[in-house]
Amino acid sequence: MSKPILKVTITNTGGRSASIPAVFDTGSFYTLIRQDRLPAGTSLLRYRVPETLRAAAKGSRLRVIGETGLIITIGGKRVRDAALVTPDLAREMILGAGTMQKWDISVHNRNGKTRIAVGRDMSDPEITEVD
């Protein structure tokens, strides 16, 4: 089974947005974005020494140069998370299991049709209210 790809909108802390295809990958813990797909003016917490992650293809590696906070809009629901930034990613964005677990995002496959369900988003009272 291939991993589902869905167009999402990413918004940086300055309010600039871009629509890009994201792979919903439960096999990747991290959410990653290719550096050239960040909206203009995105602030980046740049690592002094880039980190290296192993990729799925045998022997391949990704250089992670930093991270950034993004709001990711998925089918009208907005979630907030950090994304690792890499110039080496083959796809534009990978939405990883860490983000999916945090926001109760599920991938449902039924009769050859795939649906992405977002269980929680930034408008949920449990998230927006502080006791």
Side-chain angles (χ1 to χ4, degrees):
M1 172 178 61
S2 64
K3 294 172 178 39
I5 300 171
L6 185 67
K7 189 160 269 202
V8 300
T9 300
I10 56 170
T11 306
N12 65 20
T13 56
R16 295 213 176 168
S17 298
S19 284
I20 61 173
V23 178
F24 286 71
D25 187 355
T26 57
S28 170
F29 179 78
Y30 296 110
T31 291
L32 299 118
I33 188 163
R34 196 170 65 214
Q35 183 179 15
D36 66 350
R37 296 310 312 224
L38 290 170
T42 298
S43 61
L44 177 64
L45 175 60
R46 192 170 286 274
Y47 298 158
R48 202 172 91 192
V49 177
E51 294 182 6
T52 303
L53 297 177
R54 287 190 341 225
K58 188 175 181 178
S60 65
R61 302 212 179 268
L62 295 172
R63 255 178 326 123
V64 176
I65 62 167
E67 61 186 81
T68 190
L70 296 171
I71 294 175
I72 307 162
T73 304
I74 307 162
K77 295 206 173 184
R78 296 173 353 125
V79 301
R80 179 190 321 262
D81 210 357
L84 300 181
V85 179
T86 174
D88 304 329
L89 199 59
R91 299 281 190 169
E92 286 87 347
M93 183 175 197
I94 294 176
L95 202 120
T99 301
M100 294 172 69
Q101 290 170 2
K102 188 182 300 183
W103 294 97
D104 191 22
I105 299 170
S106 304
V107 178
H108 300 280
N109 294 300
R110 186 176 191 151
N111 298 327
K113 296 198 182 232
T114 302
R115 182 175 64 86
I116 306 294
V118 181
R120 299 205 179 276
D121 74 345
M122 291 172 53
S123 65
D124 287 340
E126 294 172 354
I127 294 167
T128 60
E129 292 178 5
V130 179
D131 288 336

